[in-house]
Amino acid sequence: AQTVTQSQPEMSVQEAETVTLSCTYDTSESDYYLFWYKQPPSRQMILVIRQEAYKQQNATENRFSVNFQKAAKSFSLKISDSQLGDAAMYFCAYRSDKAAGNKLTFGGGTRVLVKP
Amino acid sequence: DTGVSQNPRHKITKRGQNVTFRCDPISEHNRLYWYRQTLGQGPEFLTYFQNEAQLEKSRLLSDRFSAERPKGSFSTLEIQRTEQGDSAMYLCASSRPFRGLAGGNEQFFGPGTRLTVL
């Protein structure tokens, strides 16, 4: 079974600065997807960024970028130019490309606090 | 708004009572997922439907839990004889049909139903 680990329960960042969230995962599969989801307080979870394991190039979405290290099974998220609206729980998630249903396996989450 | 909706948003019940939650997915999404999220944790997969067929159930889904999607549209999750350990946020998500490696079909989440069992 796949597992996803987020070792940082909470990270604090100054507005306009950069913060990096860590995520490691364990799998024996070669084809899979990795995701970062954002869950603001009392609001629904939204997808921040997605990485296909077969792609070597790291995904970027505006101020959000990932560092995908397939051999090390590491998938970190960098938030640049942090804004107050970035404050939320961030979850790293894994999805097999072979298993039926494509369910998501989530890490425990990292709370991001943004200081004005 | 054409996003995933869930009702009720909050439910408080006494131990031993039955509760039912509803999820309305995005129209044309044929896959529907249920997850459970306890406080301070990431969501955990419970079950999923493709159209009206329930194709996978987690071992977290005890006999007291039952989910249906009778016409392949909305889904219900019922918990019988609730226990305090059932207190959690129940999340629903939906996605389009999977289209292979290039598809990467995204799961869209609803706001969740927060259950408190007293």
Side-chain angles (χ1 to χ4, degrees), chain A residues 31 33 35 37 39 42-45 47 50 52 54 89 91 95 97 100-109, chain B residues 4 9 31 33 35 37 40-45 48 56 91 98 100-107 109-111:
Chain A
D31 296 324
Y33 291 87
F35 305 85
Y37 278 87
Q39 188 177 41
S42 301
R43 294 180 62 185
Q44 60 207 81
M45 198 169 312
L47 179 66
R50 169 177 59 219
E52 292 88 340
Y54 66 89
M89 285 293 291
F91 293 97
R95 194 188 79 202
D97 196 44
N102 308 115
K103 65 188 177 190
L104 293 167
T105 300
F106 288 89
Chain B
V4 178
R9 295 290 307 276
R31 290 191 170 187
Y33 303 79
Y35 294 85
Q37 185 178 20
Q41 301 297 317
E44 296 174 290
F45 170 77
Y48 99 97
E56 187 175 352
L91 298 171
F98 184 61
L101 280 177
N105 55 326
E106 175 186 347
Q107 291 185 25
F109 282 83

Side-chain angles (χ1 to χ4, degrees), chain A residues 3-67:
Chain A
T3 58
V4 179
T5 302
Q6 294 179 248
S7 58
Q8 305 153 317
E10 187 174 286
M11 295 288 283
S12 184
V13 61
Q14 204 72 34
E15 196 175 5
E17 297 293 307
T18 296
V19 64
T20 299
L21 311 184
S22 301
C23 172
T24 58
Y25 58 95
D26 187 24
T27 185
S28 58
E29 299 178 335
S30 57
D31 296 324
Y32 49 87
Y33 291 87
L34 295 166
F35 305 85
W36 279 99
Y37 278 87
K38 171 185 178 181
Q39 188 177 41
S42 301
R43 294 180 62 185
Q44 60 207 81
M45 198 169 312
I46 57 173
L47 179 66
V48 173
I49 199 165
R50 169 177 59 219
Q51 175 79 42
E52 292 88 340
Y54 66 89
K55 288 186 177 179
Q56 291 187 333
Q57 187 173 7
N58 289 323
T60 51
E61 287 288 342
N62 300 315
R63 299 182 294 106
F64 298 87
S65 61
V66 298
N67 184 1

Side-chain angles (χ1 to χ4, degrees), chain B residues 29-40:
Chain B
H29 280 192
N30 73 333
R31 290 191 170 187
L32 187 148
Y33 303 79
W34 285 100
Y35 294 85
R36 183 175 71 183
Q37 185 178 20
T38 53
L39 203 60

